[in-house]
Each structure stands twice: as C-alpha cells, then as structure tokens.
Amino acid sequence: MNDLFIILTASLVAINAAILGVFLVLRKMSLIGDAISHAVLPGIVVAYLFSGDRTSPLLLLAAAFTGVLTAVMIEWLSKKVKIQSDAAIGITYTLLFALGMIMISGWFKGNVDIDLDCVLYGDIALINLDKIIIDQNLYLGPRALYIELAAAIVVITITAIGFKGFKLLSFNRDYGISLGIKMGNWHFLMMAMVSLVTVVSFEVVGAVLVIGFLIIPAATAQLLTHKLGNMLALSIFFGVIAVVIGYYAAVWMNVSITGAMISVSGLLFFIVMLFVVIKSKQV
C-alpha cells in the first residue's frame, strides 16, 4: 500500500509540474522555474517564524508571494536595467536563496525547524511517516498526497478557467497587450502557481529535482507536437510514465526514487528525440 501512495503522490507532482512546465517551455522561461524553486526559501523561513508549523498554509502564501517577488525582480532587471535575462535570473535566485541560507544558519538558528537538505533534495520514501489517521486506526494515506491533490485542483482549475489568457501569453503576448489585456497579470498568476507547485513538492522531490518534473516532460512533448492541448496531454503522460517506471527501477536497483524518476524522464526525452530525428530523415 505504501508503494501505491508514493506513486500516486509523485504522479500528482508530475501532473502539476507538467501542466505549468508546458507554458514555461513555450515561453522560453525554463530557468525561471529553477529560480523560483530556490528563491522562495526566505519567504518560507519568515512564514515559519510566525506560524511555527511546517504544515501551515501561511508557508504556501509566503512562498507564492516570494515567487512573484522573484518574477518581478527578474522582470525589472531585464526590462528596466537592461541586464540579460539569464543573468537577471542568476542574480535574483542566488541572492534570495543565499538570504534564506543565512536566515536558517545564522539569524534565526534555533528558531526555525527547517532542514536545508530536505528542502533541496526531499525524500519521497519518507512521506508515509507523516500519516493522516482518523478514528484512531483508519489510515487515509500520507499528508503529502492530500497536499499535492489540493495543489492539483488549484492548478487544473486556474489553468482551465484562464486557458485563453495563458495561451495568449505563451504565443502572442504583444497581441494581447494591443487588445488591452493586462498580460502582466497572467504572467504573475503563472509565477504564483509555479511557486505553489515547487513549494508543495519540496518534501517529496526537493527544490533541485522538481525542475526535472517541470521541464523534461514538457520538452519531450514539444518534440512531438506544437498544439497546446496535445502538448499538455503528452507532457502529463510522459511525467506520469516516468514516475511509474522510475519508482520500480529505483526499488529494483535500490537507489534514490526521485533520482530514478528524473533519469527515466531524461531517457524518454532522448528516445523521443531519436525517434523524431529518424522519422524526419525518412520523409
């Protein structure tokens, strides 16, 4: 049963990340997911100081706020200060992540019960230790499963309602601006969702490898199609397939579960890429 809960939880991580990853890849903003996943650390630390609870919704709100702040800083540096976008991303996320490290190791040491290794690398094998039990003996599954499920409901609902706005943002932002649509609002809403997905995934896959869930399935899907609907479906498919194969490969080889999932995802990318190259030479 624990195996099923791990696969279900990781699959929800893959679905959430695959949906947002498609828009990031289409907008050539893959690195901003990496930036946000690291830059939200100061927000989490401050929220923990006020709440004293790692499961508090305040942490998610603070992370979402810090993620949007990260996007604003990157936008300001690249558009107003005229710094190259990749340099703006590097400056912003390393600065904020370093600030979070100083908070944990120095300023608030002893007051913040946050394990930096856990934030960076996560450990999906341990999610079953934090259980939801009702009536003293009815086990409903790990808490992480329900947190990811709630995030999935938020991501799918907002994406479905705002599909046209996100599509315009991805393919023709200037046209949207010419119609009087405030495309900046759609951009920052997207960044808030990326922050939410990365933060709720820290415990499961960590801040480093969540980027693999965000980018690799979406990039694999882009090799096969450029239609947004098809790309979303394929991205989710490749993400979930990598979770299932990666989990059983990790158990068989007795290695890191998350590492195996991302490795399988990368392998799928190169298999699809090879298929596309061979097919293009046959035409």
Side-chain angles (χ1 to χ4, degrees), residues 58-242:
L58 187 62
L59 269 68
L60 296 180
L61 291 175
F65 173 78
T66 317
V68 172
L69 176 65
T70 304
V72 170
M73 287 177 65
I74 293 170
E75 190 95 348
W76 181 76
L77 286 172
S78 59
K79 297 284 176 62
K80 301 295 182 183
V81 188
K82 305 297 181 187
I83 292 177
Q84 289 183 356
S85 58
D86 54 346
I89 289 173
I91 292 169
T92 304
Y93 99 79
T94 52
L95 175 64
L96 291 175
F97 185 69
L99 182 63
M101 290 177 65
I102 291 172
M103 287 178 170
I104 293 175
S105 61
W107 296 345
F108 307 125
K109 188 176 182 180
N111 298 319
V112 179
D113 183 21
I114 296 177
D115 185 345
L116 195 56
D117 286 342
C118 180
V119 170
L120 285 174
Y121 307 116
D123 195 343
I124 198 169
L126 301 180
I127 62 170
N128 286 307
L129 296 178
D130 190 5
K131 304 175 180 178
I132 295 180
I133 298 175
I134 61 173
D135 293 336
Q136 296 185 335
N137 59 5
L138 179 58
Y139 178 39
L140 297 180
R143 187 182 303 276
L145 173 63
Y146 292 94
I147 292 174
E148 290 297 337
L149 181 60
I153 292 171
V154 170
V155 169
I156 292 171
T157 302
I158 292 178
T159 303
I161 293 173
F163 185 77
K164 290 184 178 178
F166 292 130
K167 185 176 182 180
L168 202 55
L169 183 69
S170 303
F171 291 105
N172 203 334
R173 179 173 178 158
D174 292 339
Y175 178 65
I177 293 173
S178 71
L179 294 176
I181 299 173
K182 294 182 178 178
M183 301 309 297
N185 292 345
W186 291 104
H187 170 70
F188 292 123
L189 179 59
M190 175 64 64
M191 294 304 106
M193 286 201 293
V194 172
S195 303
L196 171 69
V197 167
T198 54
V199 170
V200 299
S201 303
F202 280 173
E203 180 184 0
V204 182
V205 299
V208 176
L209 291 183
V210 70
I211 307 306
F213 283 92
L214 273 169
I215 304 306
I216 299 177
T220 309
Q222 194 180 32
L223 292 172
L224 297 173
T225 181
H226 293 288
K227 292 183 178 179
L228 183 55
N230 293 343
M231 196 172 163
L232 284 167
L234 283 172
S235 180
I236 292 171
F237 170 76
F238 285 122
V240 173
I241 284 293

Side-chain angles (χ1 to χ4, degrees), residues 42-68:
I44 294 173
V45 174
V46 172
Y48 183 84
L49 281 172
F50 282 101
S51 66
D53 182 1
R54 281 182 296 181
T55 62
S56 169
L58 187 62
L59 269 68
L60 296 180
L61 291 175
F65 173 78
T66 317
V68 172

